[in-house]
Amino acid sequence: MIPKEILKKIRKLEIQTKGIVNSLFGGEYQSAFKGRGMEFSEVRAYTYGDDIRQIDWNVTARTGDPFIKIFEEEREQTLMLCIDISQSGTFGTLEQSKMDLAIEICAVLAFSAIKNSDKVGLVLFSDHIEKVVPPKKGRTHVLRLIREMYTTEPTGKGTDIADGLSYINRLLDRRAIVVLASDFQDNDFDKQLRITNQKHDLVSIIINDQFEDELPDLGLVKLRDSETGAEKIVDTSSDKVRKVYKINRMKQKAYLHEMMLKMKIDAVEVKTNESYVKPLMNFFQRRGSRY
């Protein structure tokens, strides 16, 4: 039985995100994510004027007569949402947590996908795979995905991005759009990131909170790592402490962005205290202009 507050939340999110999709992102999604291109359909006998580059030499050699390959445009795609639901996602200093923001953005993408008649699937992960919903079409299916996003309680506390991506690569036997939504508070996932980007059309949604970038001056504060449980007393009134924290944070973000750039992975950075509409629209337009 789904709690009434969750049902209310799902309904509110559907209304909100579908409005954004209909007014802003419907056509942009289609432009940004083209079909897989041309897929082999059949062979037929060569006729004068056919492109000789399409000759199927195996069939031609076997029959003694020239045959060519026929290709058809494949429009239907699969959008796979791969969402980090580890404990660090519960952090949020203003109106919403990083997890809430991830769910809302993924809902927008899911409704955009079904408007384009694409299938949508879901993988939720922490330090292991928490929930998997195979790709399907339709509004009812997307609502089920949103329900799973809201109601799945992770049994793991840590983050294993490599494991999540590895599972996706084993699960999908055809090229798909893979959206990885995470705060990327993890290490040693670059190999699986590269493999996934080679096999699929990978997009990273990097989710941050403003107070993760720099410490506010609050005096002595007990900080707790939500994933490991480790606690530490930090003097946030110290300029040196705040400066060192900010520098380290900037280095982490720069390393992540450099990795994405080097692997040519599309990345969208969003923050819990800012609207995601503009970053997402800019991303769609960048993608669309490349085709």
Side-chain angles (χ1 to χ4, degrees):
M1 189 70 176
I2 304 173
K4 288 184 179 180
E5 60 269 20
I6 295 295
L7 290 173
K8 186 177 179 181
K9 209 171 184 179
I10 292 171
R11 181 58 181 158
K12 180 181 178 181
L13 182 61
E14 180 188 15
I15 294 171
Q16 181 177 338
T17 55
K18 284 187 73 175
I20 293 173
V21 169
N22 291 332
S23 61
L24 295 174
F25 293 144
E28 299 291 345
Y29 174 93
Q30 188 175 24
S31 299
F33 297 113
K34 301 289 186 180
R36 283 186 289 267
M38 307 303 289
E39 186 179 55
F40 173 73
S41 175
E42 59 181 339
V43 296
R44 66 163 172 78
Y46 175 85
T47 59
Y48 179 76
D50 286 335
D51 188 345
I52 61 173
R53 292 174 297 180
Q54 302 301 329
I55 290 179
D56 188 322
W57 294 107
N58 291 330
V59 177
T60 298
R62 189 167 63 249
T63 63
D65 296 314
F67 279 78
I68 66 166
K69 298 177 181 178
I70 302 298
F71 294 86
E72 294 180 350
E73 185 177 3
E74 190 174 12
R75 297 182 181 276
E76 182 182 286
Q77 299 192 90
T78 296
L79 170 66
M80 204 70 191
L81 303 172
C82 187
I83 307 176
D84 172 7
I85 61 169
S86 60
Q87 288 297 313
S88 61
T90 60
F91 182 77
T93 52
L94 291 175
E95 295 182 357
Q96 61 182 345
S97 67
K98 290 185 288 183
M99 182 65 63
D100 287 334
L101 180 57
I103 292 173
E104 188 166 341
I105 291 173
C106 287
V108 166
L109 295 174
F111 281 118
S112 297
I114 62 168
K115 188 174 182 180
N116 199 48
S117 296
D118 291 343
K119 296 179 180 178
V120 188
L122 176 69
V123 171
L124 302 176
F125 71 94
S126 56
D127 52 20
H128 60 271
I129 303 302
E130 299 279 1
K131 178 74 70 172
V132 179
V133 182
K136 288 185 181 179
K137 294 183 179 182
R139 169 183 172 272
T140 301
H141 178 67
V142 168
L143 291 177
R144 182 201 167 185
L145 299 185
I146 296 173
R147 185 184 73 226
E148 297 291 356
M149 293 180 208
Y150 275 129
T151 60
T152 300
E153 293 289 341
T155 57
K157 293 185 177 181
T159 306
D160 194 335
I161 293 174
D163 185 53
L165 293 176
S166 178
Y167 184 87
I168 288 280
N169 294 331
R170 296 193 305 271
L171 178 69
L172 302 175
D173 56 2
R174 303 183 70 180
R175 186 172 177 83
I177 304 163
V178 176
V179 172
L180 173 61
S182 174
D183 57 10
F184 288 87
Q185 294 187 14
D186 190 19
N187 299 301
D188 302 323
F189 55 85
D190 52 321
K191 180 181 177 181
Q192 284 300 326
L193 202 68
R194 184 180 293 106
I195 292 172
T196 306
N197 191 47
Q198 290 170 348
K199 293 186 65 175
H200 303 289
D201 186 354
L202 178 62
V203 178
S204 295
I205 308 294
I206 305 171
I207 301 176
N208 293 314
D209 184 273
Q210 62 174 340
F211 288 115
E212 291 180 315
D213 291 339
E214 51 186 303
L215 290 174
D217 184 354
L218 298 173
L220 289 176
V221 175
K222 181 188 287 187
L223 299 180
R224 181 178 181 274
D225 189 312
S226 59
E227 297 194 357
T228 66
E231 295 182 343
K232 185 177 182 180
I233 301 295
V234 177
D235 184 6
T236 61
S237 65
S238 168
D239 291 339
K240 182 179 179 181
V241 169
R242 294 200 307 274
K243 183 177 180 180
V244 169
Y245 176 90
K246 186 174 182 179
I247 290 173
N248 289 336
R249 177 64 176 165
M250 289 174 65
K251 285 181 179 178
Q252 292 172 354
K253 294 179 69 174
Y255 175 78
L256 179 61
H257 289 159
E258 185 179 348
M259 183 193 304
M260 299 292 178
L261 189 63
K262 188 175 181 180
M263 295 184 189
K264 297 182 179 179
I265 297 172
D266 284 314
V268 184
E269 183 173 355
V270 292
K271 291 185 178 181
T272 57
N273 65 315
E274 297 175 355
S275 171
Y276 61 83
V277 171
K278 187 174 181 179
L280 209 55
M281 179 64 80
N282 290 340
F283 159 71
F284 282 143
Q285 291 175 347
R286 285 198 312 271
R287 291 267 311 199
S289 66
R290 294 208 297 259
Y291 299 103

